[in-house]
Amino acid sequence: MEPTSLASAGNRGRDASGDEPPAEFRAALAALAAVRARPEIVLEHIPAPQRLAPWAHAVGARVAEPDGEDDDVEIASARFIVLFDPEGHEAWNGTTRCVGYLSAATDEELVDDSMFSEVAWSWLTDALTESGAGHHNVGGTVTRTASTRFGDLAGPEHTVDVEMRASWTAEDTALDRHLQAWLDVLGNAAGLPPPGVRLLGPSDRSGGETL
């Protein structure tokens, strides 16, 4: 599977009046359109919120794995939203606010790990730093939930999920770095191996070549 890109879906963003986006916002969207996600992550444009800022743009991402039949099972999903106010926003301390939300199925044992929330939050702060995404005013929440299904409700009997909501102010128009950082967080939440590393399956462990 080839890495997915947002370039083919356009980069206009949204404004209630239908006016042409400001140059700064257009530059930010052009940077987003250049992002290529790792093969396990599928990107798509999704509707942007209508009332949070004069200009907005939203990207959806999901991670799925084969279920042994023809369909895939979604194990994680995320949204990345860009809010832009050319006049600046006092609460943001800037003009461009990035908002991220993700949900992922995770290991049941992690629900009882008191440090898990701190570790999950560090995924974001580390990813922003490592990607070179200039930012400030970052905040958010990490939530772990455990569910048990009863009766005729379809699905696994026990499930554990992690949700993360975060927002931060971008210091420039290089939003490709910010989106890539959020996709790194999604990969961690979904339990994906580091980019370029492929987990061994049964066919790899028997009869394969060795170094």
Side-chain angles (χ1 to χ4, degrees):
M1 182 186 301
E2 292 295 326
T4 59
S5 170
L6 295 166
S8 61
N11 62 354
R12 286 189 54 83
R14 181 211 59 80
D15 162 73
S17 66
D19 293 339
E20 185 71 15
E24 183 179 354
F25 188 59
R26 294 200 307 270
L29 297 189
L32 286 180
V35 172
R36 291 175 63 82
R38 56 185 296 173
E40 301 93 334
I41 299 177
V42 177
L43 299 179
E44 62 180 347
H45 286 289
I46 59 176
Q50 303 260 328
R51 300 178 181 178
L52 300 180
W55 299 90
H57 188 76
V59 176
R62 61 184 178 86
V63 181
E65 62 182 12
D67 67 351
E69 299 179 357
D70 294 334
D71 297 329
D72 290 339
V73 176
E74 184 174 280
I75 59 174
S77 63
R79 298 193 298 268
F80 179 82
I81 301 167
V82 180
L83 306 175
F84 181 75
D85 188 339
E87 296 183 0
H89 197 294
E90 183 177 357
W92 304 347
N93 190 24
T95 61
T96 306
R97 190 72 173 171
C98 299
V99 181
Y101 168 81
L102 68 80
S103 175
T106 189
D107 191 329
E108 187 172 353
E109 295 181 358
L110 294 179
V111 171
D112 297 323
D113 187 345
S114 61
M115 293 297 295
F116 176 74
S117 294
E118 287 76 9
V119 171
W121 186 251
S122 73
W123 295 341
L124 174 61
T125 55
D126 290 349
L128 288 171
T129 299
E130 292 170 4
S131 67
H135 67 283
H136 57 268
N137 285 43
V138 60
T141 61
V142 177
T143 305
R144 294 168 290 162
T145 60
S147 303
T148 301
R149 291 179 170 86
F150 297 95
D152 295 332
L153 192 62
E157 181 181 0
H158 300 287
T159 59
V160 179
D161 298 284
V162 58
E163 293 184 354
M164 182 182 295
R165 301 172 187 266
S167 63
W168 61 94
T169 299
E171 297 176 349
D172 51 39
T173 61
L175 292 193
D176 53 328
R177 299 178 181 181
H178 297 260
L179 174 55
Q180 192 60 64
W182 189 242
L183 295 180
D184 289 346
V185 177
L186 175 62
N188 282 328
L192 298 181
V197 175
R198 184 170 64 89
L199 297 180
L200 294 178
S203 63
D204 298 302
R205 299 190 182 99
S206 58
E209 295 183 0
T210 59
L211 294 178

